[in-house]
Amino acid sequence: MMKNFLISLSLIFLSYSCEQKREEKKDTLNNQSLESDLQKITGSISSSKQQISIPSGEYFATNEKLDDYGVSLKIEKDSIIYTESGNMGKMYNQYLLKEDKTVDGKIFLKYSEVINGYTGDADKPLYFGILQYDKGKLLFESEYTEKKYGLKNVIFK
């Protein structure tokens, strides 16, 4: 009787051991599949949220309608400053803008703070502007410039 008990116990242990190995293999395959799916998702996110490299420097509005105004964007590694100046270089408004997101080669900028002048409507729009870099030119689409100057699209060089 003891012999039958030991044989039964051995079969149960063997069965349990095989089941454990099967579960471990299944977990390994699931983890590999999960890692692969995660890499695919991460890869597609990083490609849609690509880094856009705009050379540092000061860019000035070239639109004829803005000839009497000194509208510029100063782009540095860690900041973007929008400036409006008038006769003899007098600075009227200067705003620090922050990058909110980047989608399909467009940088969405939000008003962050006033550096000089007054806020006015700078903090009102959902986005202060949308910036795109193309062959040495900055294409700037802005509700703020549309309201203030009647120009929704401004080109900076």
Side-chain angles (χ1 to χ4, degrees), residues 53-112:
S53 178
I54 299 175
S56 293
E58 193 161 8
Y59 296 83
F60 296 91
T62 61
N63 299 62
E64 191 175 299
K65 200 170 186 179
L66 295 176
D67 280 347
D68 295 336
Y69 306 96
V71 177
S72 67
L73 285 172
K74 185 175 184 180
I75 298 178
E76 296 297 328
K77 185 177 181 180
D78 58 351
S79 66
I80 298 176
I81 298 173
Y82 173 90
T83 303
E84 298 171 331
S85 52
N87 292 339
M88 296 192 282
K90 180 181 178 193
M91 196 175 304
Y92 289 102
N93 296 312
Q94 197 170 41
Y95 309 123
L96 178 63
L97 306 178
K98 65 179 178 179
E99 182 178 332
D100 185 51
K101 64 182 178 178
T102 302
V103 178
D104 296 329
K106 296 178 180 181
I107 301 171
F108 290 75
L109 302 172
K110 285 192 160 196
Y111 166 87
S112 180

Side-chain angles (χ1 to χ4, degrees), residues 4-57:
N4 286 339
F5 176 74
L6 289 175
I7 291 173
S8 294
L9 190 60
S10 295
L11 287 175
I12 291 171
F13 178 74
L14 184 63
S15 174
Y16 176 76
S17 178
C18 288
E19 185 64 32
Q20 279 295 106
K21 287 184 181 180
R22 218 182 337 234
E23 286 298 316
E24 287 173 8
K25 189 172 184 178
K26 186 177 174 183
D27 286 346
T28 301
L29 290 173
N30 283 342
N31 284 342
Q32 288 172 347
S33 176
L34 184 61
E35 287 172 12
S36 175
D37 289 346
L38 189 59
Q39 286 174 335
K40 288 177 191 172
I41 292 168
T42 306
S44 66
I45 289 172
S46 64
S47 65
S48 70
K49 194 168 168 119
Q50 67 198 26
Q51 283 291 341
I52 297 173
S53 178
I54 299 175
S56 293

